[in-house]
Amino acid sequence: MTSPDDSSLMRVAGLVVDVPDHPGPGILFKDITPVLADAEALTTVATELASYVGHADVVVGIEARGFLIGAAVALVAGTGIVPVRKAGRLPRVAGARTYDLEYGTATLELPADTIVPGARAFVVDDVLATGGTAAATCALLADAGAEVIGFGALLELTALGGRDALAPIPVHALLPV
Ligand code: AMP
């Protein structure tokens, strides 16, 4: 039997658009912007992910769609939101982590004066793929003395093993695909 939550999530799933060969050949891009633009769907996503925030002191959103979902989750959960940004965009930086991409590397930065040592953080992004981005974010938070109590995403590309890259951090994905 389908619960009301299942039908809400099925509605969210129906708003995600697959875009073949974006941003490059062979990549099936999951465009979640129609989910963000839909009031009911955004509420579903924020409410479902907020249910995993538990005793976290802060939600951390990963650039850029993680900012949007993360801020909505933080409002529902009653926490603040910290944006982890791509290198060079923050005026004051508390720390940085560089990680490997398929071709080359990327660097993420944590804003100064956002994380106090001992803070419990819940990390949010739109899509969990290989887990490299999320793992770098969790490492950055650990560098700052935070405890990452969980990671939440709207979509998980399960075949890419991102969940294993984050172990033992609990992963909560609303829509495994
Ligand atoms: P990864 O580090 O491989 O887990 O990639 C996760 C990051 O890349 C997230 O910030 C996503 O927004 C983005 N991403 C990776 N794969 C996709 C995809 N197929 N569709 C949309 N976004 C993706």
Side-chain angles (χ1 to χ4, degrees):
M1 205 167 91
T2 306
S3 73
D5 284 351
D6 287 342
S7 68
S8 298
L9 280 175
M10 281 172 64
R11 192 171 167 280
V12 171
L15 291 168
V16 176
V17 178
D18 285 355
V19 184
D21 299 319
H22 180 86
I27 298 170
L28 184 64
F29 190 86
K30 298 285 184 182
D31 182 7
I32 62 118
T33 47
V35 175
L36 300 175
D38 184 287
E40 188 184 329
L42 181 61
T43 300
T44 298
V45 171
T47 307
E48 292 284 329
L49 286 177
S51 71
Y52 300 112
V53 171
H55 297 299
D57 304 301
V58 70
V59 169
V60 175
I62 304 176
E63 186 160 353
R65 291 174 295 275
F67 298 168
L68 301 168
I69 298 176
V73 171
L75 267 176
V76 174
T79 72
I81 172 79
V82 170
V84 162
R85 300 215 63 180
K86 293 172 183 165
R89 296 181 178 173
L90 289 168
R92 296 185 307 121
V93 175
R97 275 273 179 167
T98 298
Y99 62 104
D100 290 330
L101 299 173
E102 194 176 354
Y103 302 103
T105 62
T107 299
L108 292 174
E109 293 179 341
L110 182 70
D113 295 332
T114 56
I115 298 290
V116 292
R120 289 165 300 195
F122 184 84
V123 179
V124 171
D125 204 356
D126 62 334
V127 175
L128 177 65
T130 65
T133 309
T137 300
C138 293
L140 198 47
L141 289 163
D143 292 344
E147 179 193 353
V148 180
I149 62 143
F151 172 85
L154 169 52
L155 291 169
E156 177 184 6
L157 309 182
T158 53
L160 298 181
R163 187 176 283 266
D164 298 333
L166 285 178
I169 294 168
V171 171
H172 309 282
L174 302 185
L175 300 171
V177 291

